[in-house]
Amino acid sequence: MKKKQLINRIIQMAMVLFGISLVTFALTYLSPGDPVRTMYASSGMMPSEEVIQQTREALGLDRSFFVQYWCWLKDCLNGYFGISYTAKEPVADVILLRLGPTLKLAFMSLIVMLMISVPFGMLAAVKQNKAIDYIIRGTTFLGVSIPNFWVGLILLYVVALKFKLLPVISTGDGIEKMILPVLTLAFAMSAKYTRQVRTAILEELNQDYVIGARARGIKESTILWRHVFPNALLPLITLLGLSLGSLLGGTAVIEVIFSYPGLGNLAVSAIMAYDYPLIQAYVVWIALIYMIINLLVDISYRYLDPRVRERA
């Protein structure tokens, strides 16, 4: 990616972040409920209306929308996202504390998914229209159709409650406490990626260079791993980038089911408590991480595909 293209992408990212922040702030501003009353209620206090009004003024919630947004935006540009209403700590510190467990869960889920989907997808492609291919395709169709939260509940009941093989609550400390949420997230992804790997491998197997390699007597395994698989890797990398971004922002239900201390669980708690600074910062952070991952994926094309380097 050329320097000019990179600068244009960064400008686009800044514009998208501005739009996301504005929409998020507007939605929290227009949402029903009073964060001040919720904050006091969660601490078991019932203050007078005078105290509630004073607190609202101290937090700046009595100002107009544009004044609140402008003050918040200036603080964000200086790296300050406010104080969490519930944690009573800087929002950035709260998010960074939960980011590590979510990253660990996301990367472990991707690794498990790749260990399942790549070999089975390649096997289904090599054995096209044979019994094993139909079995794998039928299984993946079932996996794509089942919701993640349902898989999580079934695993929780059977493995943790019925047979007591693994702990019910996943604190993120230790491999055994991460097995169930990792398997839950990897299940649906494995089904989708197995189908994608099969499609990509079949497309490459029909290329002329594969026919020529077979005519020269090159081993089928060599053709598959040294030529076909690297060429089929590019679309999979795009999907991996999208999946990683989705995992960072879309694991809320799974984290709540297993009481996992990640960003998704934090976001749900913030929404329930009307913790506006935390909600707004969470959305901006997730959007920023998602765009950075996509940018890194685009940059990686230059090094993985010579055709991209020639067009650059």
Side-chain angles (χ1 to χ4, degrees):
M1 182 177 291
K2 294 181 179 180
K3 184 177 180 180
K4 184 178 180 180
Q5 293 175 327
L6 181 61
I7 293 174
N8 289 335
R9 284 292 297 272
I10 294 175
I11 294 174
Q12 292 174 6
M13 289 170 58
M15 294 173 62
V16 171
L17 276 178
F18 173 75
I20 290 174
S21 68
L22 180 61
V23 172
T24 304
F25 202 94
L27 290 175
T28 54
Y29 181 82
L30 296 173
S31 62
D34 188 348
V36 176
R37 295 182 185 276
T38 304
M39 180 175 61
Y40 280 121
S42 62
S43 59
M45 299 174 59
M46 294 297 293
S48 63
E49 288 295 328
E50 183 180 356
V51 173
I52 291 177
Q53 185 61 31
Q54 290 175 353
T55 305
R56 191 177 288 113
E57 292 175 0
L59 295 175
L61 297 177
D62 61 324
R63 304 175 183 176
S64 66
F65 167 77
F66 289 105
V67 173
Q68 289 188 44
Y69 177 72
W70 175 245
C71 294
W72 176 80
L73 185 61
K74 286 194 301 182
D75 290 338
C76 290
L77 293 176
N78 293 322
Y80 178 71
F81 292 88
I83 301 295
S84 169
Y85 296 163
T86 53
K88 304 295 190 298
E89 296 178 5
V91 169
D93 295 342
V94 177
I95 290 179
L96 289 175
L97 183 65
R98 297 293 190 97
L99 181 61
T102 295
L103 285 173
K104 183 165 63 172
L105 178 63
F107 280 111
M108 289 184 65
S109 301
L110 285 178
I111 291 172
V112 172
M113 178 273 297
L114 290 174
M115 292 174 60
I116 297 172
S117 60
V118 171
F120 279 103
M122 296 183 71
L123 178 62
V126 172
K127 304 293 184 181
Q128 184 184 15
N129 296 329
K130 294 184 179 179
I132 187 64
D133 181 29
Y134 288 119
I135 293 174
I136 292 175
R137 287 162 62 186
T139 305
T140 56
F141 180 79
L142 182 64
V144 171
S145 305
I146 299 177
N148 254 357
F149 71 88
W150 191 82
V151 176
L153 291 174
I154 293 298
L155 288 175
L156 191 64
Y157 175 75
V158 175
V159 179
L161 294 178
K162 194 73 174 177
F163 295 100
K164 302 185 185 323
L165 298 176
L166 293 170
V168 176
I169 297 177
S170 177
T171 60
D173 299 325
I175 298 297
E176 73 281 353
K177 295 181 180 180
M178 295 192 64
I179 292 177
L180 289 183
V182 166
L183 288 179
T184 302
L185 291 172
F187 180 78
M189 285 196 303
S190 298
K192 180 178 68 175
Y193 273 85
T194 300
R195 299 168 72 92
Q196 294 291 341
V197 170
R198 178 184 180 275
T199 301
I201 296 296
L202 281 176
E203 185 177 345
E204 292 298 324
L205 286 174
N206 293 324
Q207 298 294 325
D208 293 338
Y209 74 88
V210 175
I211 299 174
R214 287 170 175 166
R216 291 193 299 271
I218 300 177
K219 291 182 179 180
E220 194 70 24
S221 59
T222 303
I223 296 173
L224 190 63
W225 289 104
R226 293 189 60 181
H227 302 285
V228 172
F229 182 67
N231 288 328
L233 195 60
L234 196 61
L236 296 179
I237 291 177
T238 304
L239 290 174
L240 282 174
L242 295 174
S243 295
L244 181 57
S246 300
L247 284 174
L248 293 177
T251 59
V253 176
I254 304 304
E255 289 183 2
V256 169
I257 289 175
F258 294 100
S259 300
Y260 188 81
L263 282 177
N265 205 342
L266 176 68
V268 173
S269 301
I271 293 171
M272 298 294 292
Y274 296 95
D275 196 337
Y276 291 167
L278 193 53
I279 297 170
Q280 293 154 1
Y282 167 80
V283 174
V284 172
W285 271 86
I286 291 300
L288 178 61
I289 293 173
Y290 196 90
M291 287 188 289
I292 290 175
I293 290 173
N294 287 333
L295 178 62
L296 293 176
V297 168
D298 290 343
I299 293 174
S300 68
Y301 288 168
R302 183 180 179 87
Y303 300 96
L304 294 172
D305 193 345
R307 295 169 295 183
V308 177
R309 289 198 296 270
E310 292 176 1
R311 291 195 299 264

